[in-house]
Every structure is written in structure tokens, then in C-alpha cells.
């Protein structure tokens, strides 16, 4: 397989996953703010914290107001993690490999990109936001389903799945880290609201119902962390994503370095006693995981993708 095609299929999947995840966290945050009293609600800044784009945001905005954050996350083309930027990148990646992906997938991606742009202003409003974000999430899931169900399950397909699972694992760690850091102070009068925020962590990943089915206990910190990090059966847990990334890598040539990084990440994850970690220790643990995921991406890019084109200095 050509390295350029491998890179395009990988980033196609990452960008679709990114657009869906961004739409999810905006939806859940809006609902969370309705459930919490004004004085203790976390506001909109945590969403920018999750994306790690604070410097870019603060370059263009004075405060983390609802209107500014929603526009930044949904429609700001200067922000690579916004839904419009992610869908535009997915569309461009798909356009360059239209002979590799099914025509139906291209039509779905192109249609979702056009819808997202045409309806963006309506999606910025409080009355139109829910329907807009729901359509984006459903559209991204439809694209993933079309690709899974109609694309040849060859090496290109493995790069696509690899991109999807690395993006998903990265977002799960970011949500857990930022959301747990913005949970309420440990005060008796605030504990009922603490439960609401852990529910929001689960709902950010559409994990609430599966958590209740799997754990069969009330929502609380330790079990939630174990579920979203270590559950081997939930498709958005970090453990599930790493395991499926490993199976993708095993079907690719020259995979030794990438498999070593994956194995190290899995051992770190399996050995963690998440329910006993303090907030500081949890943050350090998540930092290590995110660095490991970045290392894995680096190995994938070095092994299979074309080297970046360097423009020599004219002088």
C-alpha cells in the first residue's frame, strides 16, 4: 500500500471521530449546566481544556463565554479540532483516496460537511443546537458504519480503524482528566451534584447505560474510572481501543516498534488501581497515557507515512 494512501485513510478516520467527539461534549455540557445550580456549574472553559486549545482560544477571545466556546468548537476554522475543521479535513482526505473508499462513503462525508456548514448558524443558537449536534453525531456514526460495512478489509481498512481507535482513546483520557479536575469540592452539601457530574462524564462517551448494565451499582468515582479506562468490552474505553489498535497493527508489516509501545501502554493501564488514585495522581497517570498515545502515533507515522516535505531555505 502507498504510504500516502495509508496516511489519508488513517486521518480520515481520526477526523470523523474528532468531529463526533466534539459534538458529543458540547451536547453533554449544555445539558449538565441545566442540571447544576449557577454558582457551582463548571461553565464552558472545560471544553476548551479538553481539546488543549486554550492558547489559540485566548488569542481570539477575552473570556470563556458560552457563545464564544460553542463557536470555537463548532465553526472556527482556525481551530483544527472544531467540527467544521475536522469534517473539512475528513472530506479532503477522502477526496484524495476516492478509488479506495466506497462511493457511498464519499457521498456521506461530503453531504455531512455541506450540512454542517449550511446549518452552522442555526446550530449556534440554543434552540437549534440540540438538533444540529444530534445530526452531526448520527452522520459521523453513519459514515463509520458505511466504511465498516462496504470497504475492503485490507491494509487500508486497518489504518482507518487504527486512526479511529487512537483518536477515541485520546479523547477518553482528555474527558476523564479535565472533567474529574473540575468536579465539585468534597463538601457534604455538594455531594448530590458530584453524582450528576460523574454521570456527565459517562454521557460524554455515551457510556451511562452500559455502565449501569455492566457495573450494576450507582455512579461513583472509582467504578466510573475503571469502566472508561479498563473495561475490555466497552468500545470507548481506553483498554478496548488499545486492544483493537493492537489487532490492527498485527495485520500490518514492520509493526515491531508500534506493538512495543502498545504493549507498554496496556501494561500501565492494567496495573493501575484507579479507584485509589488521588486527583493529582490521576492527572499524572493520564498524562503518561496521553504521552504514550502520542508516542504510538509517532511510531505509526515514522513507519508507514511519507516523511514531511521540507522546503529548503532560498538563501
Amino acid at each position: 500500500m502507498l504510504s500516502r494512501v495509508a496516511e489519508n485513510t488513517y486521518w480520515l478516520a481520526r477526523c470523523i471521530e474528532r468531529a463526533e467527539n466534539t459534538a458529543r461534549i458540547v451536547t453533554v455540557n449544555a445539558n449538565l449546566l441545566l442540571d447544576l445550580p449557577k454558582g457551582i456549574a463548571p461553565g464552558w472553559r472545560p471544553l476548551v481544556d479538553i481539546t488543549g486549545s486554550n492558547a489559540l482560544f485566548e488569542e481570539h477571545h477575552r473570556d470563556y463565554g458560552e457563545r464564544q466556546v460553542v463557536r470555537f468548537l463548532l465553526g472556527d476554522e482556525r481551530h483544527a479540532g472544531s467540527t467544521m475543521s475536522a469534517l473539512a479535513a475528513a472530506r479532503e482526505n477522502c477526496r484524495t483516496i476516492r478509488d479506495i473508499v466506497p462511493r457511498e462513503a464519499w457521498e456521506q462525508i461530503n453531504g455531512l460537511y455541506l450540512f454542517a456548514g449550511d446549518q452552522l448558524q442555526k446550530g449556534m443558537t440554543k434552540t437549534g443546537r440540540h438538533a444540529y449536534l444530534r445530526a452531526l453525531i448520527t452522520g459521523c456514526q453513519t459514515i463509520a458504519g458505511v466504511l465498516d460495512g462496504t470497504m475492503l478489509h485490507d491494509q487500508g481498512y486497518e489504518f482507518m480503524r487504527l486512526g479511529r481507535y487512537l483518536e477515541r482513546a485520546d479523547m477518553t483520557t482528555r474527558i476523564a482528566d479535565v472533567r474529574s479536575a473540575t468536579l465539585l469540592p468534597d463538601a457534604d452539601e455538594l455531594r448530590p451534584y458530584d453524582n450528576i457530574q460523574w454521570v456527565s462524564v459517562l454521557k460524554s462517551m455515551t457510556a451511562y447505560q452500559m455502565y449501569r448494565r455492566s457495573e450494576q451499582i450507582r455512579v461513583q468515582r472509582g467504578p466510573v474510572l475503571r469502566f472508561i479506562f479498563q473495561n475490555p468490552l466497552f468500545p470507548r474505553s481506553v483498554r478496548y481501543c488499545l486492544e483493537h489498535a493492537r489487532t490492527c497493527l498485527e495485520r500490518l508489516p514492520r509493526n515491531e516498534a508500534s506493538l512495543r509501545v502498545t504493549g507498554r501502554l496496556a501494561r500501565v493501564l492494567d496495573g493501575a488501581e484507579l479507584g485509589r488514585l488521588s486527583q493529582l495522581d490521576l492527572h499524572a497517570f493520564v498524562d503518561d497515557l496521553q504521552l504514550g498515545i502520542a508516542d504510538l502515533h509517532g511510531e505509526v507515522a515514522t513507519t508507514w507515512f511519507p516523511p514531511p516535505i521540507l522546503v529548503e531555505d532560498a538563501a
Side-chain angles (χ1 to χ4, degrees), residues 26 29-31 33-34 38 43-45 47-48 57 61 63-74 123-127 129:
V26 174
N29 200 70
N31 293 334
L33 297 185
L34 293 175
K38 254 189 179 178
W44 288 90
R45 175 168 180 155
L47 301 194
V48 182
F57 181 89
H61 302 284
D63 60 74
Y64 288 85
E66 177 179 356
R67 182 175 60 83
Q68 294 91 330
V69 171
V70 171
R71 177 169 291 278
F72 181 74
L73 293 176
L74 297 186
M124 297 290 184
T125 66
K126 290 186 177 181
T127 55
R129 185 188 304 156

Side-chain angles (χ1 to χ4, degrees), residues 2 24 33 63-64 74 100 102 156 160 176 217 241 300:
L2 294 174
R24 285 176 184 276
L33 297 185
D63 60 74
Y64 288 85
L74 297 186
I100 302 295
M160 186 189 72
I217 55 175
C241 292
V300 169

